[in-house]
Amino acid sequence: MMNTPTLPREQAATSVSEKIEKPRPLSENRVLLHGVSWETFECLLADVGDRRKTLFNYINGTLEIMSPLLLHEGSNRFIEALLGVFVDELEIDMRRLGSLLMKIPELKVGAEPDSCYYVKNELVIREKENVIVGQDPPPDLVLEVDITNPSDRRLPIYALLGVPEVWPYDGYSLEFLGLENGEYMAIENSLSFPTLPAAVIVEYVQKRLLLGESKTLKEFRGWVRANYSQQGDV
């Protein structure tokens, strides 16, 4: 059986007051354009293609263009690396689809998340080389790293797309949000990984800056093995 993970109090999620006191480093460049038609959005996507570093999000005529910087990408990639260790140790099938373009023309909404994952629906899309949200189920989990600016404005897009769970990470804390009646509500346990605490993810994301990524991933793998003695117990 799985041992209950415990963390020292000082390693718990950072309080709101502590977050306010810390400066917010520049980790994303953003441009907001208003009054953009859906047709213009579609043409822009076609013109720029998928070989770019910018991410597009669209709803109600507002187009957000975001360019992630080093701090943003480092956190994004390392959280994914932690999830990779977790699913590897517990033999969970998970498909990583990165910044999958999700758009539903009928609703005139589109989004490209920092990262997205199929867990419960992994088998449904396993053999697909081209996943089309609207025809295929949406990702089970979306990760949004927003250290400079909050990601709240994108939540209505993910709600319309039907994404069951979003993880916003702001550099200090990670929150689990579950979709309920068309809105995202804070939930204590992740829908995709119910026994993986948010505070543990944050602890190891921050620890990598001291230990280096390889040593931190090795230490995290040890933590998973120590706390999950029975494979498949997630």
Side-chain angles (χ1 to χ4, degrees), residues 10 24 30 50 60 112 121 133 144 165 171 212:
E10 62 270 15
R24 308 292 289 182
R30 297 179 187 276
D50 56 5
N60 296 331
E112 293 179 307
N121 281 313
V133 174
E144 283 289 336
E165 182 175 13

Side-chain angles (χ1 to χ4, degrees), residues 37-47 58 101 103-105:
S37 69
W38 178 258
E39 292 73 21
T40 299
F41 173 59
E42 292 267 45
C43 289
L44 184 59
L45 286 173
D47 287 343
Y58 181 94
L101 173 60
K103 60 188 178 76
I104 300 181

Side-chain angles (χ1 to χ4, degrees), residues 20 29 62 69 89 93 95 113 132 136 155 167 187 193 233:
I20 293 175
N29 285 323
T62 297
L69 302 178
E89 286 296 319
D93 289 319
R95 186 167 179 188
I132 303 175
D136 300 308
L155 293 180
W167 288 6
I187 53 178
F193 306 105
D233 192 359

Side-chain angles (χ1 to χ4, degrees), residues 57 102 111 113 142 144 154-163 166 184:
N57 296 279
M102 301 180 284
V142 157
E144 283 289 336
R154 291 190 293 283
L155 293 180
I157 302 177
Y158 293 132
L160 288 171
L161 292 168
V163 176
V166 177
Y184 287 100

Side-chain angles (χ1 to χ4, degrees), residues 26-75:
L26 182 63
S27 58
E28 307 100 15
N29 285 323
R30 297 179 187 276
V31 174
L32 281 177
L33 302 175
H34 302 285
V36 178
S37 69
W38 178 258
E39 292 73 21
T40 299
F41 173 59
E42 292 267 45
C43 289
L44 184 59
L45 286 173
D47 287 343
V48 299
D50 56 5
R51 292 188 176 183
R52 53 187 163 83
K53 295 182 179 180
T54 52
L55 301 178
F56 292 170
N57 296 279
Y58 181 94
I59 187 173
N60 296 331
T62 297
L63 173 62
E64 178 189 41
I65 303 174
M66 191 271 286
S67 299
L69 302 178
L70 179 62
L71 179 58
H72 179 114
E73 278 298 272
S75 299

